[in-house]
């Protein structure tokens, strides 16, 4: 009988291992997402930069007269400030090559106009000098 008992036990073990045993029912609980503890951010040592809006408007005429106007936040700070053409040229060269080229072309035009006017005035001055010399000889 001991052989029979061993055989039955072996069959029982084989049957139990081939059929999965029903797991005891446990209620399904939705787990709340675990929140990571907040680590305080390290304070930045960099100073926050405050931007300042300034608008500089430089206007020039074909005669080479330049004026500047400065506005801050929509309010005019300076208006009608006369600026030498040489200062405008230097400032443009410092800012950007394309700006400099454009302003230099305007300045070149003004230079040519002034040269032409100077030649006219020199010719007129020569005539006046000649007329004055005629009057003194008399």
């Amino acid at each position: 009988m001991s052989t029979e008992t061993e055989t039955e036990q072996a069959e029982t073990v084989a049957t139990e291992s081939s059929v999965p045993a029903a797991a005891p029912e446990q209620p399904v609980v939705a787990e709340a997402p675990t929140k990571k503890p907040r680590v305080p951010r390290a304070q930045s040592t960099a100073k926050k930069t405050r931007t300042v809006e300034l608008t500089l408007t430089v206007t020039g005429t074909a005669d080479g007269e330049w004026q500047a106007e400065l506005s801050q936040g929509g309010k005019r700070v300076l208006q009608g400030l006369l600026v030498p053409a040489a200062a405008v040229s230097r400032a443009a060269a410092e800012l950007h090559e394309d700006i400099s080229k454009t302003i230099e072309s305007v300045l070149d035009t003004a230079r040519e106009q002034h040269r032409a006017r100077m030649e006219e005035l020199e010719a007129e001055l020569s005539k006046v000098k000649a007329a004055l010399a005629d009057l003194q000889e008399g």
Side-chain angles (χ1 to χ4, degrees), residues 1 8 10 12 17 23 28 41 45 55 65 102 115 119 123 137:
M1 230 179 133
E8 286 175 11
T12 306
S17 63
V28 178
R41 278 195 285 180
T45 57
T55 304
E65 295 176 8
T102 303
R115 281 188 196 111
E119 290 172 0
E137 286 181 11

Side-chain angles (χ1 to χ4, degrees), residues 63-107:
D63 294 333
E65 295 176 8
W66 293 86
Q67 291 186 1
E69 178 180 298
L70 182 65
S71 300
Q72 182 177 11
K75 181 182 175 186
R76 286 186 183 158
V77 179
L78 293 172
Q79 183 177 0
L81 185 65
L82 293 177
V83 181
V88 173
S89 178
R90 285 191 307 271
E94 288 290 323
L95 290 173
H96 195 274
E97 183 180 343
D98 292 339
I99 295 171
S100 180
K101 285 179 182 178
T102 303
I103 289 179
E104 282 302 316
S105 69
V106 171
L107 289 174

Side-chain angles (χ1 to χ4, degrees), residues 4-81:
E4 233 176 71
T5 308
E6 290 176 7
T7 308
E8 286 175 11
Q9 287 176 353
E11 287 176 4
T12 306
V13 170
T15 306
E16 288 176 359
S17 63
S18 63
V19 177
E25 289 187 29
Q26 295 180 353
V28 178
V29 178
E31 292 184 24
T34 57
K35 291 185 177 179
K36 295 181 182 178
R38 284 193 160 196
V39 178
R41 278 195 285 180
Q43 292 292 331
S44 174
T45 57
K47 290 187 177 184
K48 293 182 181 179
T49 56
R50 187 178 134 227
T51 59
V52 177
E53 180 182 333
L54 292 172
T55 304
L56 174 63
T57 305
V58 180
T59 56
T61 64
D63 294 333
E65 295 176 8
W66 293 86
Q67 291 186 1
E69 178 180 298
L70 182 65
S71 300
Q72 182 177 11
K75 181 182 175 186
R76 286 186 183 158
V77 179
L78 293 172
Q79 183 177 0
L81 185 65

